[in-house]
Amino acid sequence: MQLDLGIGNTLVSVGRTVIEGGAVAVGEEHRPVERAGSMTSGTHDAKPSSEAPNLRELIELIPGLVICALPDGFAEFANGAWQEYTGCSSEQLTGWGWQTTIHRDDVTKVNSKWNASPTAEKPFETEARMRRVDGHYHWFSIRKGPAVSETRSNNAPLRTLITFEDINERKEAQVKLQLSEALQRAFCDNSPNLIWLEDRHGRYLYANKEFQSAFRVTEEQVKGKKDEELFSVKQAAAFQAKNLQVLERGARVRFEDFFFREDGQRALIIQKIPLFDADGVLYAIGSVATDITERQHEESARRYSEEKHRLVVETANDAIVSMDDTGTIQFANPASTRIFGYDPAELIGKPLTVLMPQFMRELHQNGFRRYLDTGQRHINWQGTELTALRKNGQEFPVEISFGELTRDGHKIFTGFIRDISKRKQAEDKLRASERTLRELTETIPQMLWSAEGDGTLNYCNQRTLDYTGLSAKEVQGSGWLTAVHPDDVEKATRAWLGSVVSGEAFQCEFRFRRAPDGYRWCISNAVPLRDLEGKVIRWFGTIVDLHDWREAQQALHAIQTRQVAVRADVSLAFGQKESLEAILHECAESLVRHLDAAFARIWTLSPDGKMLELRASAGLYTHLNGAHSQIPIGQLKIGAIAREQKHVLTNDIINDPRISDKAWAANEGMSSFAGYPLLAGTRTLGVMAMFSRKPLAPGTAEALASTADLIAQGIERKRAEDELRLSERNLQMTQAELARVSRLTTMGELAASIAHEVNQPLTAVVNNGSACLRLLANRNLEPDVLRQALEGIIADGTRASAVLSRIRAFIKKEAAEKSELNLSEVIQEVLSLASRELYENQVLLESQLTNDLPSVLADRVQLQQVLLNLIMNGIEAMATVTDRPRLLGVQSRIESGGVLVAVSDSGTGIGTAVERVFTPFFTTKANGLGMGLSISRSLVENHGGRLWATHNSPHGAVFSFTLPTTGGNLS
């Protein structure tokens, strides 16, 4: 006979049995009864049939929890397993009493599904929480088998079996899985790393918030994109190559790369991880990018922290084992020998799995890989009980806690392992270890202390007591604060109490009293010692005197500040001062101001190279005359420095043989001297020296050396600039003289025109004078006639004088003087001078002058020279023209923000010599010097303008020049 209990596919076989007193036919001919069951309250006669004991014996054989009930849920009895689990007796569960073990929040759901099961023509199944004998509720899967009769009779009462399967662990696993998935998503979205996911074809499936923030994109903008749509061509190609490696190998790829963000270039370590589905098919690639830009600083801090904690680690009673991200052991403390039987040196380089029994190794490796890939932990890292393996093969229980640290892009995991199989013995050994530690702390040359878990100080080693001058009793509790500087008590107290409350490591800098010297800067560090439950039971700390280190740092900062200040003053002096004397005086003042010099002096080498001449003196002595104003090379210490090109430093002037006037030094209280040659390569430019009443401070020599180099470079540059300015002045004088010669030459060419211009008013003066004489001779003294003649004489005399004034101004030798001019007016003046030449050479003038021109800043005479040269060249170019009109065009206009003047002619033109005509000494005239156009271009360019030549259509040439405007208007 087989009994289908409705427990999945499980069948409990009890054989083909005929039970005395009545046959129970269950399985062969059982069938559902066509009536709906009800779990509502009703009246039932709990009259067990004569066959019931046999059915009870059958149910008792079932190892699970089972209730025998009527189809409406009225329970008749339960097997011993159910009663033992719930703690209910047969009387308590009879009827609907068994429902009292169901959690009150699940009763309604159970009843509802029970009532619906017959009509739905399917077995009843639901999940509910059922109370255990200790009052705790566990989740169970509750199932009801089909209703059957105990006998073959159609009138036999129907019964059903209700089974209970404990699914609590499965439910908890489901909750943990859901929580794990949510945590994974939250971890990725809130991770400071850049995390993204791509499919096999490189399309982005996901990018976390840090990725979106780094590249200023949204998740919607990233999805479906490829690397080349998000990064530069080079960056995208590098990523795609790494993706290809992952696809080919089916293994993670780790590499370093750089990203460019708004805050600059960031160095990253990137891991590309293959993701496999349940069938082992690689379906995606996950990428995690970790910023390692600040890694060096973090590594330095970590090494310092490790050194601080090393003492505690080495003396810890528990085994402390560190491994890298490959699972290889990197460190094991001495306690590992006692717990595992391995010497620490034996463990280093071996996989962590050597400390695990065989059945745990694969679990560990899978979980460890999953954590590295996803960050999901497969066990609790704090106080988890596991099974460990000793070297001799013995398995034993341990309590383990893990911590994680990232170094150089690699993870380091540290485990704290406690043997709990001999907890009492471990506690005894811990106390012995503490005694050993106490003895050790008394011999260590460092200040050590310990405190209770609540922060009450209970111990300081003898070195601490000697340092503070306090007794062991005085330092107890909060008495140690009496040795802390009053201004630092609040800070130290706040930091200490914060660590006591949080259980985190303590660190604080404060001033600590050292007897009998006073307060000195110290740093104190402490780490907690915890019991098996993780409660802090003791603090161990150190105090390190870092006063000398801080002072050294401050002194170094002061030295660097002074060096920067001196160099800044020297650079500023060479940039702002005109004369070399003023510059060097400011440099000497800077040495006195920043380097504690009593006085400082600077000598430069004379032009003949035989003498050092004092050019600057600041501080105690400021005069430049006297015995040391001139020092021959090689004499005295200054001359020796210049000859040997080596610096001299001494902090003991009185006993230094290189210092000649020791009486003066003693009288003035001089203590130190420093002298440096001023060198430009291998050439000596001078000497810089200083005396001080104090010893030379650290860093002064470096400051003086760099300052000497800076001054030497400045002197060399200053002399080169002076020579350049002198050359420029000489060049300007030469150009001015050439321009004057050119003007004189032009005046020679205009002699006839000038004579005509002067003769006309002089002839008129003579004629008017003769008329006046005739009137006087005829005694015809009419006032109006005489007045008219005399006014004509005055006007013609003035006109002749103006002509001569213009000629004199044109040819006189004076420096250029720029003023605001209207070019049209200047052109009119030049045309007036050249009018006779135009007339005699039969040249027609076409002038197109703009009267409303902006003003230009220029020298009138130099512009007249340029214009007159261009006009005379145009007249001469048309001298041989007989077959067409001789036209000279002069125009002025505004163009491109300046003023343009063009002089054109209809002469023979300039052919291919468009640019050569401006070359000095190049001429197309038989009697020309070839300097006119060259000088004219120089004059225009000195005014910030440009002069050029072009061909005129159909004949001749056009010479044009432009000048910048001043923004004014003088029309």
Side-chain angles (χ1 to χ4, degrees):
M1 181 179 65
Q2 290 186 331
L3 180 63
D4 186 349
L5 301 179
I7 310 174
N9 296 322
T10 303
L11 294 177
V12 179
S13 177
V14 294
R16 301 179 57 87
T17 306
V18 178
I19 301 176
E20 292 300 328
V24 181
V26 183
E28 288 185 355
E29 298 179 4
H30 74 271
R31 62 187 180 277
V33 179
E34 299 295 331
R35 74 184 184 89
S38 174
M39 292 189 71
T40 57
S41 299
T43 303
H44 288 270
D45 293 328
K47 297 178 180 179
S49 64
S50 59
E51 292 82 8
N54 295 323
L55 182 59
R56 186 185 303 271
E57 292 175 0
L58 181 64
I59 291 174
E60 285 295 341
L61 296 175
I62 300 174
L65 311 183
V66 182
I67 291 177
C68 179
L70 298 179
D72 61 358
F74 185 91
E76 291 187 329
F77 60 88
N79 66 354
W82 192 94
Q83 296 180 48
E84 181 182 355
Y85 184 88
T86 61
C88 293
S89 63
S90 297
E91 293 75 10
Q92 290 174 325
L93 67 89
T94 301
W96 285 276
W98 66 275
Q99 294 186 37
T100 60
T101 63
I102 304 298
H103 195 284
R104 61 184 180 183
D105 294 340
D106 300 336
V107 171
T108 302
K109 178 182 68 175
V110 172
N111 286 336
S112 175
K113 288 196 174 184
W114 183 283
N115 293 334
S117 62
T119 58
E121 297 183 354
K122 61 180 181 180
F124 164 82
E125 181 177 351
T126 188
E127 294 179 356
R129 287 163 289 181
M130 189 168 72
R131 187 181 65 247
R132 200 167 60 185
V133 65
D134 59 1
H136 289 87
Y137 285 89
H138 271 215
W139 281 98
F140 279 80
S141 174
I142 305 175
R143 298 176 185 176
K144 178 186 71 173
V148 298
S149 63
E150 298 181 25
T151 66
R152 298 181 184 275
S153 171
N154 290 334
N155 296 323
L158 297 177
R159 287 180 176 81
T160 186
L161 299 183
I162 306 173
T163 63
F164 299 80
E165 180 185 358
D166 191 332
I167 60 170
N168 198 65
E169 290 185 0
R170 188 182 72 195
K171 292 288 287 187
E172 288 181 351
Q174 290 174 351
V175 172
K176 288 181 180 179
L177 178 61
Q178 294 170 357
L179 178 60
S180 174
E181 292 174 350
L183 288 176
Q184 286 183 37
R185 177 74 183 204
F187 171 80
C188 291
D189 280 343
N190 294 284
S191 172
N193 297 330
L194 280 65
I195 301 175
W196 67 97
L197 188 66
E198 303 164 78
D199 64 16
R200 290 180 57 89
H201 305 291
R203 290 186 293 266
Y204 276 68
L205 304 174
Y206 165 78
N208 72 342
K209 293 179 180 178
E210 186 66 20
F211 183 100
Q212 299 170 33
S213 174
F215 298 105
R216 297 189 175 279
V217 293
T218 64
E219 189 169 2
E220 290 71 21
Q221 293 172 333
V222 171
K223 283 185 176 179
K225 296 292 181 65
K226 293 189 174 183
D227 288 328
E228 58 265 26
E229 299 177 82
L230 299 173
F231 305 105
S232 65
V233 175
K234 181 178 180 181
Q235 187 77 71
F239 279 179
Q240 290 167 355
K242 297 301 181 182
N243 285 349
L244 184 59
Q245 290 182 20
V246 174
L247 294 174
E248 290 175 348
R249 301 174 184 176
R252 69 175 61 201
V253 174
R254 185 174 182 271
F255 60 98
E256 293 187 14
D257 210 328
F258 295 94
F259 278 165
F260 292 90
R261 296 172 56 169
E262 291 184 355
D263 56 351
Q265 178 176 286
R266 309 296 294 179
L268 300 175
I269 285 183
I270 303 172
Q271 291 192 74
K272 286 190 169 290
I273 306 162
L275 302 179
F276 299 92
D277 60 18
D279 297 325
V281 178
L282 195 157
Y283 70 92
I285 300 175
S287 299
V288 180
T290 304
D291 192 329
I292 61 170
T293 308
E294 306 300 330
R295 178 69 50 81
Q296 185 175 9
H297 300 296
E298 295 174 0
E299 285 296 308
S300 177
R302 185 187 59 78
R303 287 192 296 270
Y304 179 64
S305 177
E306 286 179 348
E307 187 63 25
K308 291 188 302 180
H309 294 93
R310 184 180 59 82
L311 176 63
V312 176
V313 170
E314 292 293 334
T315 58
N317 193 43
D318 293 339
I320 300 177
V321 179
S322 295
M323 68 175 183
D324 60 17
D325 51 11
T326 66
T328 302
I329 296 175
Q330 302 294 321
F331 169 80
N333 72 337
S336 304
T337 303
R338 176 179 51 80
I339 294 179
F340 292 99
Y342 288 98
D343 186 86
E346 292 181 79
L347 289 175
I348 294 175
K350 291 186 177 181
L352 185 66
T353 52
V354 301
L355 304 180
M356 304 176 188
Q358 188 65 37
F359 75 91
M360 285 187 58
R361 294 178 181 179
E362 185 175 355
L363 293 174
H364 162 74
Q365 291 170 345
N366 293 336
F368 187 51
R369 282 195 297 269
R370 182 169 67 253
Y371 174 74
L372 293 177
D373 293 341
T374 66
Q376 180 183 358
R377 299 176 180 180
H378 66 289
I379 62 171
N380 180 17
W381 283 16
Q382 297 298 321
T384 297
E385 293 186 7
L386 297 172
T387 302
L389 183 69
R390 289 192 172 95
K391 184 178 181 180
N392 60 9
Q394 178 188 2
E395 296 183 5
F396 65 102
V398 294
E399 183 180 87
I400 183 168
S401 297
F402 266 102
E404 178 183 348
L405 178 68
T406 300
R407 175 191 295 168
D408 298 329
H410 299 282
K411 295 182 181 297
I412 298 294
F413 302 89
T414 300
F416 296 80
I417 307 167
R418 177 169 296 174
D419 182 352
I420 58 175
S421 62
K422 299 180 180 180
R423 178 167 297 179
K424 187 63 178 179
Q425 181 181 356
E427 291 175 357
D428 294 340
K429 289 185 178 182
L430 176 61
R431 285 190 290 270
S433 177
E434 288 179 348
R435 287 193 299 270
T436 302
L437 177 63
R438 178 69 61 90
E439 295 170 356
L440 182 62
T441 58
E442 294 300 335
T443 59
I444 291 178
Q446 190 174 10
M447 291 183 282
L448 304 176
W449 56 271
S450 65
E452 300 293 344
D454 61 2
T456 303
L457 195 74
N458 59 15
Y459 168 76
C460 285
N461 69 345
Q462 190 60 43
R463 187 173 183 85
T464 307
L465 301 178
D466 294 342
Y467 187 92
T468 60
L470 299 174
S471 66
K473 184 177 181 180
E474 290 173 331
V475 83
Q476 296 288 324
S478 60
W480 63 277
L481 289 172
T482 60
V484 177
H485 193 283
D487 295 342
D488 299 337
V489 168
E490 182 181 354
K491 177 181 72 173
T493 303
R494 185 169 58 251
W496 175 234
L497 292 180
S499 293
V500 170
V501 172
S502 65
E504 297 177 355
F506 165 73
Q507 184 181 78
C508 184
E509 290 186 17
F510 49 81
R511 285 163 289 183
F512 209 43
R513 186 177 66 241
R514 184 174 77 174
D517 302 334
Y519 291 98
R520 293 172 61 85
W521 280 102
C522 295
I523 183 171
S524 182
N525 296 277
V527 292
L529 176 66
R530 304 177 185 275
D531 62 12
L532 296 175
E533 286 73 32
K535 180 182 178 182
V536 176
I537 58 174
R538 190 72 58 85
W539 290 86
F540 294 99
T542 63
I543 301 174
V544 178
D545 188 324
L546 47 72
H547 194 83
D548 294 337
W549 178 83
R550 283 175 63 101
E551 287 189 342
Q553 292 295 311
Q554 292 170 358
L556 178 61
H557 177 72
I559 291 168
Q560 293 172 343
T561 301
R562 290 194 294 178
Q563 290 178 353
V564 171
V566 172
R567 292 181 64 85
D569 288 349
V570 172
S571 299
L572 187 63
F574 276 100
Q576 293 185 343
K577 303 296 182 181
E578 290 294 333
S579 68
L580 183 59
E581 285 75 9
I583 292 172
L584 296 180
H585 177 74
E586 185 60 32
C587 294
E589 288 282 1
S590 181
L591 296 179
V592 173
R593 187 163 51 248
H594 298 297
L595 299 182
D596 294 329
F599 70 96
R601 286 180 167 178
I602 300 175
W603 291 263
T604 60
L605 195 63
S606 61
D608 60 8
K610 297 180 180 180
M611 194 72 67
L612 291 170
E613 298 174 342
L614 184 60
R615 304 293 293 275
S617 183
L620 182 62
Y621 303 110
T622 59
H623 60 272
L624 300 179
N625 54 5
H628 297 92
S629 60
Q630 289 189 328
I631 302 175
I633 295 294
Q635 295 187 16
L636 303 178
K637 59 184 176 300
I638 300 300
I641 291 172
R643 182 184 61 190
E644 298 173 6
Q645 294 186 340
K646 294 182 179 179
H647 65 270
V648 173
L649 298 174
T650 180
N651 275 326
D652 188 8
I653 289 179
I654 303 302
N655 298 315
D656 196 311
R658 295 170 295 185
I659 307 302
S660 57
D661 198 347
K662 293 182 171 54
W664 165 83
N667 186 55
E668 292 292 341
M670 297 300 169
S671 174
S672 59
F673 167 80
Y676 279 80
L678 305 178
L679 302 175
T682 58
R683 293 182 296 109
T684 299
L685 303 181
V687 174
M688 176 189 75
M690 61 167 274
F691 280 89
S692 177
R693 292 188 173 97
K694 301 177 181 179
L696 296 175
T700 300
E702 291 81 358
L704 288 171
S706 62
T707 303
D709 290 340
L710 196 60
I711 292 175
Q713 294 169 12
I715 292 174
E716 188 80 349
R717 186 172 62 252
K718 181 67 176 175
R719 287 178 175 174
E721 291 172 353
D722 291 344
E723 291 175 0
L724 179 61
R725 280 194 289 270
L726 179 60
S727 299
E728 290 175 348
R729 283 197 296 271
N730 293 336
L731 178 61
Q732 290 172 357
M733 292 175 63
T734 302
Q735 289 177 337
E737 191 63 29
L738 285 173
R740 183 170 178 272
V741 170
S742 178
R743 291 197 295 273
L744 292 173
T745 302
T746 304
M747 284 295 101
E749 296 173 356
L750 293 174
S753 295
I754 293 171
H756 177 75
E757 288 288 332
V758 175
N759 283 336
Q760 276 189 335
L762 290 180
T763 300
V765 169
V766 171
N767 290 337
N768 283 326
S770 299
C772 289
L773 290 175
R774 286 194 300 273
L775 290 173
L776 291 172
N778 295 331
R779 295 185 184 277
N780 184 8
L781 302 177
E782 295 183 9
D784 292 338
V785 176
L786 287 173
R787 182 181 296 107
Q788 186 177 1
L790 292 172
E791 288 176 351
I793 291 171
I794 294 171
D796 290 331
T798 302
R799 185 155 63 95
S801 175
V803 171
L804 294 175
S805 296
R806 288 200 299 272
I807 293 171
R808 185 169 64 251
F810 188 71
I811 64 176
K812 68 183 178 179
K813 184 177 181 180
E814 288 185 351
E817 182 178 347
K818 294 182 180 181
S819 60
E820 291 190 0
L821 304 174
N822 186 307
L823 270 180
S824 294
E825 293 179 358
V826 177
I827 294 171
Q828 292 285 11
E829 294 172 357
V830 175
L831 289 175
S832 177
L833 285 174
S835 61
R836 182 67 181 176
E837 291 295 322
L838 293 170
Y839 174 74
E840 289 183 350
N841 287 279
Q842 300 178 356
V843 175
L844 298 177
L845 176 66
E846 292 184 350
S847 61
Q848 299 176 1
L849 305 180
T850 301
N851 292 325
D852 195 21
L853 283 177
S855 60
V856 297
L857 185 64
D859 180 80
R860 181 182 292 273
V861 172
Q862 291 183 356
L863 288 189
Q864 288 175 343
Q865 178 178 351
V866 173
L867 287 165
L868 191 56
N869 182 269
L870 297 179
I871 291 171
M872 292 302 295
N873 285 349
I875 293 172
E876 293 175 1
M878 295 183 289
T880 60
V881 174
T882 59
D883 59 343
R884 57 182 180 273
R886 300 175 181 176
L887 297 177
L888 183 75
V890 181
Q891 61 174 308
S892 63
R893 65 176 184 270
I894 301 173
E895 184 170 298
S896 301
V899 176
L900 180 139
V901 176
V903 178
S904 61
D905 63 70
S906 59
T908 57
I910 53 179
T912 59
V914 174
E915 278 301 320
R916 291 184 63 196
V917 295
F918 296 104
T919 304
F921 307 112
F922 175 83
T923 179
T924 59
K925 297 184 288 186
N927 58 351
L929 294 176
M931 292 298 296
L933 287 175
S934 175
I935 293 173
S936 296
R937 172 174 272 187
S938 296
L939 294 176
V940 171
E941 289 177 349
N942 288 340
H943 284 79
R946 186 169 69 94
L947 172 61
W948 70 96
T950 57
H951 297 289
N952 194 15
S953 179
H955 304 288
V958 180
F959 287 84
S960 307
F961 68 87
T962 57
L963 293 174
T965 64
T966 61
N969 192 316
L970 302 180
S971 60

